[in-house]
Amino acid sequence: MADSIAAISFADAHADPYGRLGLVRNPDGSVTRQFEHPKTPVSSYDGSPILLVKDVPINQSKDTGARIFLPKEALESIPGRKLPLLIYFHSGGFVIGSVATTGFDDLHRALATEVPFVVVSIEHRLAPEHRLPAAYEDCLEALHWIKNSQDEWLEKYADLSNSFLMGSSSGGNIAYHVGLSASSRVDDLKPLNIKGLILHQAFFGGNKRTESELRALNDTLIPPRFADVLWELSLPVGADRDHEFSNPVLSIKPGQFDQIKALGWKILMAGYENDALFDRQFEIAKMLEDEGVSVVANFVEGGYHGIDIFEFPKTKVLCEVVKEFIISLMTTA
């Protein structure tokens, strides 16, 4: 895991963020991708005693898809017994990463085996080639693909009536926005029945620096200027960081959360106080509570952005938090 940290961290908080992302910024504002971050191929799971893994396409014209993680214990359990479904959106600031990125993939594996769940991790298009709301649209399309899917693993082993959306960092932002959209079309998504959202170290922003961002100006993992570049690359052209995709607190509409409340969804907000994005996450949690949404806040002292991906003991703790949250919301047949 230490190699994964080194691959994206800054020896100097003022180093070129584009270079660390593997990008070169061109004069016309486009970028050239120089390299891909390390990936874990599906073949690496061949012969695994605990897990089956496969990649499946969703929309070939957009090159979107999913990586499905199936715990082998599902095959050995009581016939007809199914596992809850966790639909996961990966991190990467909307700009880098994939379902196969090493580190992200380690978290998928832990969630599938430690809990256990059937995990479907969604491959969405990346910015700046495909700016927001492209990732939201792809992930919402993925929900429709799941509900209509004839995939054998999902049909036999996934309990669609106990489904949850989870995302880390930018994936937490996706879970928030896609969850809002999904709450207004629950009938159209049946038999997929979402019970709650898990926003894990969610990536939100704003024009004015927060105290946690100011404390992190010299952070070597995700200094605010690095986050600024991610927003610059991912938001619609001409938008600033107070756009509703980045700073939804400023864009609350009357009745926006009425359907989430009526459905009885809960939202788990998980993070660390030393994360540069902590104040943003806390602000979202407070806004949701003020709007009457049921929020479970799990903010832990210390830490840093991405710790649950980079440090396996923390990964296991996160899995336990997620497991407890999901079990509290599950219904039995």
Side-chain angles (χ1 to χ4, degrees), residues 68-83:
I68 305 178
F69 296 78
L70 177 66
K72 283 190 175 179
E73 74 173 66
L75 284 65
E76 302 161 356
S77 63
I78 300 170
R81 177 180 176 267
K82 297 183 176 183
L83 297 176

Side-chain angles (χ1 to χ4, degrees), residues 301-315:
E301 291 183 0
Y304 55 86
H305 195 76
I307 189 172
D308 297 320
I309 293 175
F310 298 134
E311 297 186 19
F312 188 68
K314 298 295 186 183
T315 306

Side-chain angles (χ1 to χ4, degrees), residues 17-215:
Y18 290 91
R20 289 293 180 178
L21 288 167
L23 307 174
V24 173
R25 186 178 185 181
N26 301 317
D28 63 359
S30 65
V31 298
T32 300
R33 294 184 182 271
Q34 297 291 95
F35 62 84
E36 285 190 327
H37 293 275
K39 292 184 177 182
T40 302
V42 167
S43 60
S44 68
Y45 291 96
D46 292 350
S48 169
I50 57 173
L51 202 61
L52 296 172
V53 183
K54 66 180 176 181
D55 290 336
V56 295
I58 291 178
N59 186 327
Q60 293 183 335
S61 69
K62 297 179 180 178
D63 199 25
T64 60
R67 176 166 286 194
I68 305 178
F69 296 78
L70 177 66
K72 283 190 175 179
E73 74 173 66
L75 284 65
E76 302 161 356
S77 63
I78 300 170
R81 177 180 176 267
K82 297 183 176 183
L83 297 176
L85 176 64
L86 185 69
I87 302 165
Y88 183 84
F89 310 124
H90 68 74
S91 57
F94 309 105
V95 173
I96 62 171
S98 78
V99 297
T101 298
T102 303
F104 303 168
D105 199 65
D106 293 338
L107 177 58
H108 300 148
R109 181 173 63 249
L111 288 166
T113 57
E114 296 283 334
V115 178
F117 305 129
V118 175
V119 176
V120 179
S121 184
I122 306 303
E123 189 81 272
H124 59 75
R125 291 171 293 171
L126 299 176
E129 296 88 348
H130 305 282
R131 291 175 176 267
L132 295 174
Y136 304 150
E137 294 167 350
D138 294 346
C139 292
L140 188 60
E141 181 180 30
L143 301 188
H144 287 273
W145 174 82
I146 291 169
K147 75 113 175 182
N148 291 318
S149 178
Q150 296 180 342
D151 180 86
E152 181 183 11
W153 290 5
L154 296 183
E155 286 188 324
K156 285 188 175 181
Y157 305 113
D159 180 4
L160 269 61
S161 70
N162 282 304
S163 297
F164 299 83
L165 306 185
M166 176 178 176
S168 300
S169 193
S170 58
N173 178 294
I174 293 172
Y176 172 86
H177 287 286
V178 171
L180 271 176
S181 296
S183 70
S184 66
R185 58 192 78 190
V186 288
D187 290 338
D188 193 33
L189 287 171
K190 289 180 179 178
L192 185 69
N193 185 20
I194 298 167
K195 295 295 187 67
L197 313 178
I198 301 163
L199 312 187
H200 170 229
Q201 292 198 293
F203 184 43
F204 294 101
N207 289 339
K208 184 178 179 180
R209 295 282 191 233
T210 65
E211 289 186 12
S212 63
E213 289 168 343
L214 290 171
R215 290 196 301 268

